Amino acid sequence: MTALTPADAEYAERIRDSFARQSIMATLGARITEVQPGRVTIELPYRADLAQQHGFVHAGVLATVADSACGYAAFSLMPAEAAVLSIEFKINLLSPARGERFVAEGHVVRAGRTITVCQAEVVAVEGERREPVAAMTATMMTVLGRPGLRG
Amino acid sequence: MTALTPADAEYAERIRDSFARQSIMATLGARITEVQPGRVTIELPYRADLAQQHGFVHAGVLATVADSACGYAAFSLMPAEAAVLSIEFKINLLSPARGERFVAEGHVVRAGRTITVCQAEVVAVEGERREPVAAMTATMMTVLGRPGLRG
Amino acid sequence: MTALTPADAEYAERIRDSFARQSIMATLGARITEVQPGRVTIELPYRADLAQQHGFVHAGVLATVADSACGYAAFSLMPAEAAVLSIEFKINLLSPARGERFVAEGHVVRAGRTITVCQAEVVAVEGERREPVAAMTATMMTVLGRPGLRG
Amino acid sequence: MTALTPADAEYAERIRDSFARQSIMATLGARITEVQPGRVTIELPYRADLAQQHGFVHAGVLATVADSACGYAAFSLMPAEAAVLSIEFKINLLSPARGERFVAEGHVVRAGRTITVCQAEVVAVEGERREPVAAMTATMMTVLGRPGLRG
């Protein structure tokens, strides 16, 4: 339905550059592991200092990587000179977030001129076991012509 | 409408104990600054390593402190033996998150036996200026009788 | 924070004209009862043919009037030539929707050039009793320059 | 991940009985067209009296059928004596809702003892053309032991 055609051939490089400037990603230990048109994956290894009170990864940390996965999935289809901003997101926590690492995959549901709707799933991985722990829907905005705002 | 009467007189101590075990809060540099029945405030000083690509605090970081503020606002009205879990939350980003510090105030909208609905506002503070940067609605669950799950 | 100044002096008339064209409002029996800059109220009398399976008003019906209250609250601050569209909304159901009538009050939380964030509360009224039954957050879009799309 | 095994063999009959008691469905002209474990489809033919101000079907009407599709998808996996209630839902409007009819398909993402998370897609159909017009995530609650509340 939504054409997943990048408007800019350098989309993957733009995404990796922008991700490198998201300092929170290094703070949390998250890495971007896959970049395709309309689909981006971010991985987060478990760390004890990312937890809520029961030792599971905090819902907000899952939301942080899922939001970035959604944002870059949207960004992959935007013009070269655009910036991407999150308007809003909603996340459901499906199971306690325990595991060795967490994989957040965001994809574009509908790309419009100004508004792009994305969804992300976060899966906990422990050995062979993969369990969905969160589902997000996010609304992203294409921002053009705002000086100083790129990426 | 919702009676904001703590079911347990030690609610403030339980919240502060639980907050101290949320290791992500120390990682982000967040402090709990106010605890009342049905209302909890968490503050987060700006740090460059919490940013998204434009230097604003990442939406997921705002969501993390707002979710905890909502969770503890709900927890303040729960029985002593209960645990609180986030079922879901939704956050709207109102303005770029720039400022010296960010104040997330969560309050209970409706407290039921199993489900508590909360809202939070996150305000950016810069000198005298206070600007709302995010608004959250969160659904919290009272968990009872699950061994090993408290706080 | 958000200046609640109408961009167009005829905002109330524009809203009432647009509401009159929302045929679903007559189908449900809803009336617009208050129009102010950034704040609109819609009332819905109870009818047995608006119910879900337990006889309460269906959550989607509450969402319909709350979405219109939010949309017109946003619209009250838009230029005369604009159209308003809902990008998304989220609603929490707080109590079973029983009562003689339901009052949905929407107000603007943040009005931007393209995006306006609103919240609505729906209250059930039964004699002297007033009980909140739903809380919505909605994201509205100002649409300009699309031929045939006004109001 | 989530076992889509009905707890009650009569699930389809319980759903159709409950749907028949949702009087709003007849008011809108909606029919339930498919019932499977964890998946329910509701169809809504276009009617001019379901519209918003531009003649598209009102977002709240799409939300009404999507919420019921989600609720019955969840209900299909619940014990025979349970009732289902919507805790909250969030819907993104992807395209203007024009078409001959609208098909809302809800499915279970995660079924827990108390909380079931569902998603729905609403597609507009016009001849051969099928276009997604809305995406919902909904949180449903299994209610047991509340006298008078079934279905």
Side-chain angles (χ1 to χ4, degrees):
Chain A
M1 197 51 51
T2 281
L4 298 182
T5 311
D8 167 42
E10 310 293 323
Y11 74 92
E13 194 179 332
R14 280 190 299 124
I15 289 173
R16 290 182 190 279
D17 284 356
S18 179
F19 185 87
R21 285 183 280 128
Q22 286 208 334
S23 59
I24 183 66
M25 292 297 137
T27 304
L28 299 176
R31 297 177 305 123
I32 194 163
T33 53
E34 200 178 345
V35 175
Q36 292 175 32
R39 187 171 299 268
V40 165
T41 305
I42 295 175
E43 286 202 23
L44 178 78
Y46 177 82
R47 266 180 18 203
D49 66 346
L50 305 179
Q52 41 83 284
Q53 71 275 22
H54 310 118
F56 312 137
V57 171
H58 194 287
V61 173
L62 301 180
T64 303
V65 291
D67 174 48
S68 281
C70 284
Y72 288 124
F75 190 52
S76 72
L77 307 182
M78 293 182 186
E81 64 279 17
V84 58
L85 283 179
S86 298
I87 294 176
E88 61 86 35
F89 58 76
K90 179 245 205 288
I91 189 167
N92 272 70
L93 295 320
L94 306 175
S95 289
R98 54 191 145 204
E100 292 158 8
R101 58 197 171 91
F102 301 88
V103 181
E105 184 177 300
H107 70 277
V108 170
V109 172
R110 171 85 170 76
R113 202 167 51 91
T114 307
I115 301 297
T116 297
V117 179
C118 298
Q119 290 188 327
E121 188 184 47
V122 186
V123 172
V125 181
E126 177 89 42
E128 297 298 296
R129 191 176 61 83
R130 293 174 61 85
E131 183 171 22
V133 292
M136 174 180 282
T137 301
T139 309
M140 299 291 163
M141 190 172 181
T142 303
V143 180
L144 289 166
R146 239 190 266 177
L149 214 60
R150 278 187 67 163
Chain B
M1 198 51 50
T2 281
L4 297 182
T5 311
D8 168 41
E10 309 294 323
Y11 74 92
E13 194 179 333
R14 282 190 298 123
I15 289 173
R16 290 182 189 279
D17 284 357
S18 179
F19 185 87
R21 285 183 280 127
Q22 285 207 336
S23 59
I24 183 66
M25 292 297 137
T27 304
L28 299 177
R31 298 176 306 121
I32 194 163
T33 53
E34 200 177 346
V35 174
Q36 292 175 32
R39 188 171 297 268
V40 165
T41 304
I42 295 175
E43 286 202 21
L44 178 79
Y46 177 81
R47 267 182 16 205
D49 67 345
L50 306 178
Q52 42 82 286
Q53 71 275 23
H54 311 118
F56 312 136
V57 171
H58 194 286
V61 173
L62 301 180
T64 303
V65 292
D67 174 47
S68 281
C70 284
Y72 288 124
F75 191 52
S76 71
L77 307 181
M78 293 183 185
E81 65 278 16
V84 58
L85 283 179
S86 298
I87 294 176
E88 62 87 35
F89 58 76
K90 180 247 206 289
I91 189 167
N92 273 70
L93 294 321
L94 306 175
S95 289
R98 54 190 145 204
E100 291 158 9
R101 58 198 172 89
F102 301 89
V103 181
E105 183 177 299
H107 70 275
V108 170
V109 171
R110 171 86 170 73
R113 202 166 50 90
T114 306
I115 302 298
T116 297
V117 179
C118 298
Q119 290 186 329
E121 187 184 48
V122 186
V123 172
V125 181
E126 177 89 41
E128 298 297 298
R129 192 176 59 84
R130 293 174 61 85
E131 183 170 21
V133 291
M136 175 180 280
T137 300
T139 308
M140 298 290 162
M141 190 172 182
T142 303
V143 180
L144 289 165
R146 239 190 266 179
L149 214 58
R150 279 188 65 163
Chain C
M1 197 51 52
T2 281
L4 298 182
T5 311
D8 167 40
E10 310 294 322
Y11 74 91
E13 194 179 332
R14 280 190 300 125
I15 289 173
R16 291 182 189 278
D17 284 356
S18 179
F19 184 88
R21 285 183 281 128
Q22 286 208 335
S23 59
I24 182 67
M25 292 296 138
T27 303
L28 299 176
R31 296 177 306 123
I32 195 163
T33 53
E34 201 178 344
V35 174
Q36 292 175 32
R39 187 172 298 269
V40 165
T41 304
I42 295 175
E43 286 202 22
L44 179 78
Y46 176 81
R47 265 181 17 203
D49 66 346
L50 305 178
Q52 42 82 284
Q53 71 275 22
H54 310 118
F56 312 137
V57 171
H58 195 287
V61 174
L62 301 180
T64 303
V65 291
D67 173 47
S68 281
C70 284
Y72 288 124
F75 190 51
S76 71
L77 308 182
M78 293 182 186
E81 65 278 16
V84 58
L85 283 179
S86 297
I87 294 176
E88 62 86 35
F89 57 77
K90 180 247 207 286
I91 189 167
N92 273 69
L93 294 319
L94 306 175
S95 289
R98 54 190 145 206
E100 291 158 9
R101 58 197 171 90
F102 302 88
V103 181
E105 184 177 300
H107 70 275
V108 170
V109 172
R110 172 85 169 75
R113 202 167 49 92
T114 306
I115 302 297
T116 298
V117 179
C118 298
Q119 290 187 328
E121 187 184 48
V122 186
V123 173
V125 181
E126 177 89 42
E128 296 298 297
R129 191 174 60 83
R130 292 175 62 86
E131 183 170 23
V133 292
M136 174 180 281
T137 301
T139 308
M140 297 291 162
M141 190 171 182
T142 303
V143 180
L144 290 166
R146 238 189 266 178
L149 215 59
R150 279 188 65 165
Chain D
M1 197 50 51
T2 281
L4 297 182
T5 312
D8 167 41
E10 309 294 324
Y11 75 92
E13 194 180 331
R14 281 190 298 124
I15 289 172
R16 290 182 189 279
D17 283 356
S18 179
F19 184 87
R21 285 184 279 127
Q22 286 208 336
S23 58
I24 183 66
M25 293 297 138
T27 304
L28 299 177
R31 296 176 307 123
I32 194 163
T33 52
E34 201 178 345
V35 175
Q36 293 175 32
R39 188 172 297 268
V40 165
T41 304
I42 296 175
E43 285 202 22
L44 178 79
Y46 177 81
R47 265 181 19 204
D49 67 345
L50 306 178
Q52 40 83 286
Q53 71 275 22
H54 310 117
F56 312 136
V57 171
H58 194 286
V61 173
L62 301 180
T64 303
V65 292
D67 174 47
S68 282
C70 285
Y72 288 124
F75 190 53
S76 72
L77 307 181
M78 294 183 185
E81 65 278 16
V84 58
L85 283 179
S86 298
I87 294 176
E88 62 86 35
F89 58 76
K90 180 246 207 286
I91 189 166
N92 273 70
L93 294 320
L94 306 175
S95 289
R98 55 192 144 203
E100 290 158 10
R101 57 198 173 89
F102 301 89
V103 181
E105 183 177 299
H107 70 276
V108 169
V109 172
R110 171 85 169 75
R113 203 167 49 91
T114 307
I115 301 298
T116 297
V117 179
C118 299
Q119 291 186 329
E121 187 183 49
V122 186
V123 172
V125 181
E126 176 89 42
E128 297 297 297
R129 192 175 60 84
R130 293 174 61 86
E131 182 170 23
V133 292
M136 175 180 280
T137 300
T139 308
M140 297 291 162
M141 188 172 184
T142 303
V143 180
L144 290 164
R146 239 190 265 177
L149 214 59
R150 279 189 66 163

